[in-house]
Amino acid sequence: MVGEVVEVRELGKTGLRVSSVGFGASPLGNVFGHITHDEALSSVRRALQLGINLFDTSPYYGGTLSESVLGRCLEASGFPRDSYIVSTKCGRYVEGFDFSADRVTRSIDESLQRLRLDYVDILNCHDIEFAPSLDKIINETIPALQKIKESGKARFIGITGLPLEIFTYVLDRVPPGSVDVILSYCHYGINDTTLQDLIPYLRNKGVGIISASPLSMGLLTETGPPDWHPASAELKSACRAAAVHCKEKGKNISKLSLQYSLANKEIPSVLVGMNSLQQVEENVAAAVELANHGVDSELLLEVEAILEPVKNQTWPSGIQS
C-alpha cells in the first residue's frame, strides 16, 4: 500500500500548487469501458488521500458523463473544496466544435451544474486547432473566457491542443496575462520531448504548463495503442519493440514512461487517465519511487536507443485528445 503522497509544484503565476501527477478523468466517462460509481468514487477518494489534487475533465469526455461522475465523486469524497483543483474545458462537444462567445459562456454554467461546483479552478478552451481560425480564438473566445474569469466562475483560463505552434501563435497575439495555462498532450514522453523547447518561452510569458498523455495515447504500454491511433507504422513498431524490451527485463514501459515525464520539474503536472484504485496507487507509487530513488537510468538509455529513429515523430491532429 502506498503510504507517501505525491509532490506539489507551482503552476505558472496562478498561485496554484498542483500535484505532479494529475487525475485525467476522461475514463470516468466510460470512454475506455464501463466503470461503476463505486469504482469511480474509490479512485477519486484514494487519489485525494495520496495527494493528487488536480482533476481534469471536459464536457466532451463521454458526452458530459465524465464531468457528472467526477462531480458526484468529489462531492461524496468528504474532502473540502479548497483541497482540490478542478480543470474543465469548453469549445469541444460530442456534437462538434463551437468556440463562439455565446456557446462557451453557456458551457461553463452547464459544466458547473454537472460538477456540482460554484467555480472551476481552470477553464480550458479545448483543442483550439479545430476552430475556424486561431484568430477567432484570439478575438472572440479568449475575451469571452476573460469575462467568465471576471465573474468568478473560473479562476484561471487556458488553451489546449496537439500542435505546439498553436500556443505561440495565440500567446504572441493576446495581451499579457490573458492566458494563464496551456495543456499540451503527447509532446513530453520518452518518444517525444518537443514540449521542452517551448518551456523557456512559456515561462517568459508567465504561463503554467500541464502535460497530458505521458504514455502517448497507449503507444508506451505493454498492450499497445488502440486501433484508431494515428501514429505511423514505424512509430508503433518502435514503441512495441521498446515495450517488449522492458518486459523481457522484468520492467514495465508505462511506469518508466510516467517517471520520465514526472522527472522534468519544469512541467508542474502530468495528467494520467485513471479509472481504478489500482491505477491510482500504481501511478502514485511510481511518483514516490522516482522521488526517492530516481529513474532506472540504464533501462531508460536502452529504451531511448530503441526509440531514437522515431524520436519526436508526431502525427496530424484530429483523432483524439
Side-chain angles (χ1 to χ4, degrees), residues 60 92 97 127 129-130 162-163 185 230 315-321:
Y60 175 64
R92 184 170 197 178
F97 293 93
D127 289 343
E129 68 267 32
F130 293 101
L162 180 66
Y185 69 99
W315 48 81
S317 186
I319 304 295
Q320 182 87 354
S321 74

Side-chain angles (χ1 to χ4, degrees), residues 5-8 17-24 43-56 74 79 83-85 269-272 274 279-281 283-284 287:
V5 299
V6 297
E7 67 174 301
V8 293
R17 290 173 56 77
V18 294
S19 51
S20 59
V21 178
F23 190 112
S43 301
V44 169
R45 183 177 281 144
R46 190 66 177 132
L48 287 161
Q49 290 170 346
L50 295 175
I52 293 176
N53 69 357
L54 176 61
F55 294 82
D56 178 83
L74 289 172
F79 281 74
S83 66
Y84 51 81
I85 294 162
S269 190
V270 177
L271 290 177
V272 189
M274 303 187 220
Q279 287 178 357
V280 170
E281 295 202 336
N283 290 329
V284 172

Side-chain angles (χ1 to χ4, degrees), residues 247-266:
K247 191 171 185 178
E248 287 174 348
K249 300 197 78 170
K251 308 284 185 169
N252 187 293
I253 193 168
S254 298
K255 177 182 171 182
L256 181 72
S257 304
L258 175 58
Q259 290 181 329
Y260 179 88
S261 297
L262 290 171
N264 188 338
K265 296 197 175 188
E266 293 184 301

Side-chain angles (χ1 to χ4, degrees), residues 281-292:
E281 295 202 336
E282 285 177 352
N283 290 329
V284 172
V288 170
E289 180 184 280
L290 174 69
N292 291 336

